Structures are given as C-alpha cells and as structure tokens.
Amino acid sequence: MDSSRHPVGPIDWVQGQEHWDHWWRYLTPTSIHRRLGLACLAVGMQNGRLPTVGPRTLNHYVAVIVLSGAGWFSSGGRPPVDVVAPCLLWLSPGVEHHYGPYEPGWSECFADFTGPSVAAYAELGFLNPDEPVVPLTSAEPARVVIRKMIAALSQPGPHAEVAAAAGVHELLVVLQRSQVASRDSGSVLEALSRDACEPWTVLEHAKRLGMSLSELRESVRRRAGCSPKDYLLTIRLNLAKELLATTDLPVAAVARRVGYDDPAYFTRLFTRRVGTSPSTFREHQSRTP
C-alpha cells in the first residue's frame, strides 16, 4: 500500500484542516475490547474518484458518511437510489451492498464496528437496517468525531482501541442527532417530552398529535426503542429525581408535579422502577443545603 495514502504518523493540521486524500486504519480488538460493548474495526477518510464498492456482504456494521458530492447506493439487491451529501449510508451485516460516487467523486468518512451493544442501539432507533440511506442536516458533527478517532489512532499507545471504541459510541449519538427530522421522529418526541407530566392518557397524547394510537406507538418505538407509556414514564421519573435531589418539596408534592395525584401510587411506581423509595433516594442524593 502506498504510504502516502495511509499515513502512519500524526495527521498534519493547518488552520484546523487535515491534509489527506486517503487515510484509514484497521484494528483487531481483543476479547477485552469487545467487552466494552462496541469495538471499532476500522476508521478512515477518503475523497476523489473512489472505486465502486461491491457488490459485497460484510459480517459487521459500517457507517459511511458522505461529506460532499453525490453518488448511488444499492442495498439487498434492490435498484440503486441517488445519494446526495450530507448523507449517512448504513452497511448492515449479512446484507449485500453496492455503491459509488458520480463524477467527479465524493468525500467520505467511515467507521466499521461490532459488539454486543449494537443490538441495543438498534432497538433504541440509532440503527435501522430497513432505512440504509439517511439524509443528514449536517455531516460536520460526524466529521469531528471521526477526526478525533483518527487523531487518537495516529498516536502510539496501548489504548488506541479504547479511544476508538469510545468514538464509535459518540459517532452513533451524533449521527442520530444529525438525521433530518420528520413528523415521525423528533417533533413527536419533543411534544411528548413537553407534555409528559400532563394528566393525559397515551390515547389522549395521540389525539393531540393528530395520530392514531398505533401510529404513535410505531413512531416512538422507531425513534426511542420503547412504548409511549415507557417514554413518558422515564421523563416523569427523571424529573421526580431532580425534584427530590434539589428541593425540599414533600414526596406528595413531587408526585403531583410529575403528574400523579396519588402519592402512594407514585411511591410504589418509583420504588419498582428506580429500586429505592423516593425518601431513600432523596436521603442518598440530596443536593440541597
């Protein structure tokens, strides 16, 4: 491999911009690294007239972020679709993919990863193999994370794999936040978060959003990986914890603040979900003078 295309030393930085045509690094994580939940297998950046990829099938996930330019992408043998930057391409394990840029090429960065936490991220809506082409509002947050991973891997040291694994976790978060919002995503969760403590049933929340109950359930499941009831409950409990830790409000008042008129029911629910009673939680976590 041409060393000019695969630098082994630190990246040159000039006025905050990296000088590169092609940079990639492959990793072989040990069993200990895989126990971190996510293991990075490769990371890189490249641009220009890149060769067509595939058709091929991998045994792990790859996030390909198209930074600039346009091209085409085919997944699972389906007809190709156009890809326009900024855009995310999900390469899923066991699914054949085939893609490439149009002239005069494109710029991309990528991260290959695997690990037991992948299933949880998929369930939470961070990965969706059924939607392999994801428009982004901006590719800059992902670019920043990839550059941090590259910087870590460009320096000698025994824990580069740990830094790369942490980078994959961060990359999944920023990619989820950078996705183009739709009615079926951010706006629904924002409305539920805003009204979580109102004394409304899930059906009433759905009606206020102009959705059927099944539409609301599917929207929240796809975006948050849980039911609307669990999503609302989590928001209520988080607020209850904050009030218990930072105020001297009685437990009954805290219960009312988060939408429960029956303090006994609130106490049972809190204890079951948190693992300790509201009073004990306050005793251990209080931050009031």
Side-chain angles (χ1 to χ4, degrees), residues 55-74:
R56 68 176 185 181
T57 302
L58 300 174
N59 64 356
H60 59 269
Y61 273 101
V62 184
V64 179
I65 301 97
V66 181
L67 305 170
S68 63
W72 57 273
F73 180 81
S74 173

Side-chain angles (χ1 to χ4, degrees), residues 48 59 69 104 114 155 180 188 235 244 249 265 271 285:
N59 64 356
T114 188
Q155 303 295 330
V180 174
V188 171
I235 294 171
L244 289 167
L249 287 172
Y265 175 76
T271 303
Q285 298 292 335

Side-chain angles (χ1 to χ4, degrees), residues 25 32 64 86 96:
R25 189 66 51 84
I32 295 178
V64 179
E96 183 182 85

Side-chain angles (χ1 to χ4, degrees), residues 197 239-240 243-244 247-264 266-267 278 282:
C197 296
L239 177 56
L243 293 172
L244 289 167
T247 75
D248 57 1
L249 287 172
V251 171
V254 171
R256 287 191 295 272
R257 286 278 189 96
V258 299
Y260 297 102
D261 291 331
D262 184 349
F266 165 74
T267 296
R282 165 172 279 165

